[in-house]
Amino acid sequence: MFNIAIDQNQPTADFYNDLKSSAVALVDGEPDAIANMANIAALIWQYVPGLNWAGFYRVIDGELVLGPFQGKAACIRIAMGAGVCGAAAATGQVQRVADVHAFPGHIACDADSRSELVVPVTNNGKVIAVLDLDSPLPDHFSAEDEQAMVALIGAISKNLG
Ligand code: SME
């Protein structure tokens, strides 16, 4: 067991710095992408407030396939370009969606989800997976959350695929 303690009451920038350092430490020296995704999903789920789902979809043979996650059981396969996750994977662009009901083609795996942040995971210029964070709160994710998650994923992406 890893002993990780992150102060959730410190300034947001410091919180995210600690979260990123913990993520880097968790995957350090471990080449297995599934094991690493499992630990990163657990880390985010434990410390990031306001989530009802946190996890990964992997790009396999041109579609997204459910990977390690925390939250309710979810859709297993998502076509490239479909929904918020598919848009992130197809474009390589972060999707920060304040109201998922207003997003064309949103896939409602969990009816509780109201806002969503999806960060592409790239390796050698290719999207190999996406990190999907869902919240039951409308407009939950800020630009600071987006930047922090992009930085976190960028720091560990070589160990995710
Ligand atoms: N809502 C996502 C699907 C994945 S689940 O939320 C876990 C989407 O539209 O891509």
Side-chain angles (χ1 to χ4, degrees):
M1 201 63 143
F2 287 91
N3 230 338
I4 296 170
I6 300 174
D7 177 4
Q8 288 166 298
N9 297 315
Q10 62 186 325
T12 309
D14 298 332
F15 165 76
Y16 274 125
N17 270 334
D18 285 357
L19 192 74
K20 188 172 72 175
S21 302
S22 299
V24 168
L26 272 175
V27 304
D28 185 42
E30 176 50 64
D32 190 280
I34 299 291
N36 289 334
M37 286 180 180
N39 263 339
I40 297 305
L43 178 76
I44 291 172
W45 180 255
Q46 183 178 358
Y47 286 108
V48 175
L51 303 180
N52 64 324
W53 205 89
F56 292 88
Y57 280 88
R58 296 186 302 143
V59 178
I60 298 174
D61 294 336
E63 65 179 345
L64 290 173
V65 181
L66 182 63
F69 71 95
Q70 302 276 318
K72 289 185 187 168
C75 320
I76 299 171
R77 291 176 188 271
I78 297 176
M80 202 56 85
V84 186
C85 291
T91 63
Q93 303 291 314
V94 177
Q95 305 291 312
R96 182 160 61 92
V97 180
D99 175 6
V100 293
H101 298 307
F103 190 94
H106 167 248
I107 301 161
C109 286
D110 182 341
D112 290 341
S113 297
R114 293 295 311 279
S115 55
E116 188 159 348
L117 177 64
V118 183
V119 178
V121 181
T122 52
N123 244 338
N124 301 319
K126 268 180 53 182
V127 179
I128 55 154
V130 298
L131 170 70
D132 180 20
L133 304 180
D134 288 14
S135 175
L137 307 167
D139 201 9
H140 178 60
F141 301 103
S142 67
E144 188 175 17
D145 296 330
E146 175 181 332
Q147 281 162 18
M149 284 300 164
V150 168
L152 187 154
I153 289 297
I156 61 170
S157 62
K158 66 181 190 311
N159 296 70
L160 298 181

